[in-house]
Amino acid sequence: MPRDALAYVLHTSGSTGEPKAVGISHGALAQFLAHHQEHVVPRVEDGVQRVAQTMPLVFDGSWDTLLALLLGHELHLLDVEQYRDPDTLVDLVVSRGIHRIDLTPTVMAAVVEAGLFARDHSLRTVSVGGEACPPALWTTLRAQPGLRVLNLYGPTEYTVDAVGARGTDADQPVIGRPLSATTALVLDQHLRPVPDGVVGELYLAGPQLARGYLRRPDLTADRFVASPFGEPGERMYRTGDLARRDAGGLLHYVGRRDHQVKIRGFRVEPGETEAALLALPGVVQATVQARRSALGARLVAYVVAPGPTGDALRAALADVLPEHLVPAVVVVLDALPLTSNGKLDVGALPEPAAGPGPTVTGPPAEGDPLAGSGRPDLPATVTDVTLAFASALDGAPVAPDADFFALGGDSIRAIHVVARLREKGWRSSVQDVFEQRTVAGVAARLRPLATDPARPTRSADPQASGPAGAGALGTTQDAAAPLLDLAPGDLDRLGALLGDRRRTRKARP
């Protein structure tokens, strides 16, 4: 069989939502198996081990345990109900005397929480992979006496595993060093190596490189690029992962390039917030996601934490993180949703809801979140402010006493509130929103545009008349946006919000 002949095809999700078919050659698979036989799987002559198959066979990570069977060890096949339920899996590991389990960090954390290490188990090796390993889990695994801990990293496009670490390598999670014959490069945007300690994008090259994406030459050319460091014609895979190499040669996973997001002009890696959450007492698992809308992005955190409330966790983060890294909302769940591969199912995470109390959402009409009359038993001021808050918060329901900024509001979203209230015929200000913060407080400050005695009204523009009969700008002073200390990038978002960049001006000293 030629080494470059196709061994198997594995479909992996793409950022566009369209699966990509990754073609793996016999030579790439043989190289992966040879490394693991030499460095990962114990020799059967030293004793047959019982290994649990805890990953579906459609997931390339299943090769890690299938290899144990090929080398003479005893493989215990588990069905999805058994390895997806932490309590059941703990019972099986103990009752069958399992020596090795391979799990994603999300599932491993749940199994530890279910009391795995409090039981009389026979485990000799635990391996995590497929996701970043949280520091708390890494610390717990390393602390188990006589337990061999592995952290294996590798994209499907590099045949299962490309880099690996042992628990003895570092006291913080690392992805380690390249496998045999693998080259791991940390490069800048110009494909130049970055110094140790500097974050760059991780590229992989070597005999485990996939052939490419089947019937997708455009995508293959984009991700499998020519290597300026190898022989002529040699390629390397652009992982899209950010990493740094320390002085000892260990690779540290930092995050995804496409997970970076700008929050009020600051470039943010949600993993920083996630790490801070996991360091808080009572937090068992956590993930932080960026929720994007026309008004910009905001961070939403999801945690498994039996004791503390979401508001308490958010307040604790505010004590240790800069404002732009504090999530708008912290949602407490009983468990994080998982895919069939045991990875976090981001699409199944719920949309954040407002705190307790009566809410008004008002069904949108013709795409307008402020359309509809709201609740008839509430004053018009409360209804209109509630709907304006909901519009600024991407349609989330809002309780009258909920804090606008605790729900994810910021300066740009406060401007949006004022603009929408003006469309309903009310005068308000960003200062009102910052000072009052709640629906009830802002509603108490509202003044009708047409009857405001403080400022003369300008003649109505028939092309821009508001719902209350006044001009859409109301007064000559309404035409000027409130003076704000805008963060970098806010001017573009403000222009998009107003719909016309000609209505925004940079302030001159």
Side-chain angles (χ1 to χ4, degrees):
M1 179 71 67
R3 290 185 61 84
D4 62 351
L6 188 65
Y8 64 87
V9 174
L10 194 67
H11 287 79
T12 182
S13 61
S15 58
T16 62
E18 187 176 332
K20 301 171 294 185
V22 182
I24 303 297
S25 69
H26 282 271
L29 183 59
Q31 175 63 37
F32 160 74
L33 298 178
H35 174 274
H36 276 46
Q37 180 177 5
E38 180 70 22
H39 300 284
V40 177
V41 180
R43 298 191 320 150
V44 72
E45 291 82 2
D46 297 329
V48 174
Q49 294 198 359
R50 292 180 287 276
V51 179
Q53 180 69 33
T54 51
M55 294 184 180
L57 298 181
V58 294
F59 181 39
D60 60 345
S62 62
W63 273 115
D64 283 315
T65 45
L66 281 174
L67 179 57
L69 175 65
L70 298 179
L71 295 177
H73 293 285
E74 186 178 295
L75 188 66
H76 289 242
L77 295 174
L78 307 182
D79 60 36
V80 65
E81 290 80 10
Q82 292 173 320
Y83 63 72
R84 288 282 298 278
D85 180 73
D87 293 315
T88 301
L89 183 54
V90 169
D91 289 340
L92 287 171
V93 167
V94 173
S95 63
R96 298 190 184 183
I98 297 297
H99 295 121
R100 174 178 171 171
I101 53 174
D102 289 59
L103 298 169
T104 63
T106 300
V107 176
M108 184 69 78
V111 169
V112 171
E113 183 67 16
L116 171 63
F117 296 126
R119 303 278 297 274
D120 186 18
H121 65 82
S122 303
L123 283 173
R124 300 175 188 173
T125 302
V126 295
S127 175
V128 294
E131 298 172 322
C133 183
L137 176 62
W138 184 253
T139 300
T140 298
L141 295 178
R142 293 179 71 246
Q144 305 308 311
L147 188 65
R148 182 183 183 220
V149 180
L150 302 176
N151 186 17
L152 300 174
Y153 162 90
T156 300
E157 289 84 350
Y158 198 80
T159 315
V160 192
D161 298 326
V163 178
R166 290 182 169 84
T168 54
D169 287 339
D171 57 3
Q172 290 295 312
V174 293
I175 55 176
R177 294 182 173 84
L179 273 57
S180 302
T182 294
T183 301
L185 302 162
V186 183
L187 307 178
D188 65 14
Q189 59 183 336
H190 302 295
L191 299 185
R192 299 175 302 197
V194 300
D196 289 347
V198 175
V199 174
E201 185 168 1
L202 183 61
Y203 288 75
L204 300 171
Q208 289 177 221
L209 197 65
R211 293 173 21 144
Y213 301 112
L214 268 64
R215 304 182 187 90
R216 293 295 305 273
D218 54 337
L219 190 56
T220 298
D222 179 58
R223 301 304 295 266
F224 295 82
V225 299
S227 173
F229 309 100
E231 299 295 327
E234 187 173 339
R235 301 176 304 156
M236 58 184 184
Y237 175 66
R238 180 166 60 88
T239 67
D241 289 331
L242 301 175
R244 61 180 175 84
R245 194 187 309 270
D246 64 24
L250 292 171
L251 287 167
H252 297 245
Y253 177 83
V254 176
R256 289 285 302 171
R257 286 188 63 90
D258 50 13
H259 285 180
Q260 285 189 338
V261 63
K262 276 197 172 183
I263 304 292
R264 300 194 290 280
F266 297 94
R267 188 170 296 281
V268 169
E269 172 56 56
E272 294 182 56
T273 303
E274 192 172 302
L277 266 172
L278 289 167
L280 296 177
V283 177
V284 179
Q285 294 176 274
T287 182
V288 177
Q289 304 295 322
R291 299 292 191 185
R292 295 173 173 84
S293 72
L295 295 176
R298 60 184 184 141
L299 297 180
V300 177
Y302 299 88
V303 301
V304 177
T309 65
D311 288 342
L313 292 172
R314 187 178 185 277
L317 287 178
D319 289 338
V320 297
L321 292 176
E323 183 182 358
H324 59 276
L325 284 175
V326 177
V329 186
V330 177
V331 181
V332 179
L333 303 174
D334 293 332
L336 296 179
L338 303 177
T339 66
S340 59
N341 291 341
K343 294 185 179 182
L344 176 69
D345 189 351
V346 175
L349 291 169
E351 288 294 330
T359 60
V360 177
T361 56
E366 298 180 344
D368 184 359
L370 289 184
S373 58
R375 279 255 303 271
D377 56 323
L378 293 176
T381 52
V382 173
T383 297
D384 288 345
V385 175
T386 302
L387 293 172
F389 273 27
S391 175
L393 297 171
D394 307 326
V398 181
D401 59 350
D403 187 314
F404 175 73
F405 296 97
L407 294 175
D410 54 37
S411 58
I412 292 298
R413 293 173 191 270
I415 295 173
H416 181 80
V417 168
V418 173
R420 299 315 299 264
L421 288 172
R422 184 179 293 125
E423 292 178 7
K424 300 295 285 186
W426 299 110
R427 180 185 305 285
S428 186
S429 70
V430 173
Q431 183 177 356
D432 288 341
V433 180
F434 270 85
E435 290 180 352
Q436 300 301 312
R437 306 178 76 90
T438 66
V439 168
V442 174
R445 291 274 189 100
L446 292 184
R447 292 92 65 197
L449 279 173
T451 59
D452 188 346
R455 300 173 183 172
T457 58
R458 64 183 288 180
S459 57
D461 179 355
Q463 301 244 334
S465 58
L473 298 179
T475 71
T476 53
Q477 293 193 13
D478 283 329
L483 292 177
L484 291 173
D485 182 15
L486 295 177
D490 279 353
L491 185 61
D492 290 334
R493 291 164 58 199
L494 178 56
L497 173 63
L498 295 174
D500 187 349
R501 279 297 302 268
R502 291 172 297 179
R503 292 171 63 186
T504 64
R505 297 289 186 271
K506 291 185 178 180
R508 291 183 173 84

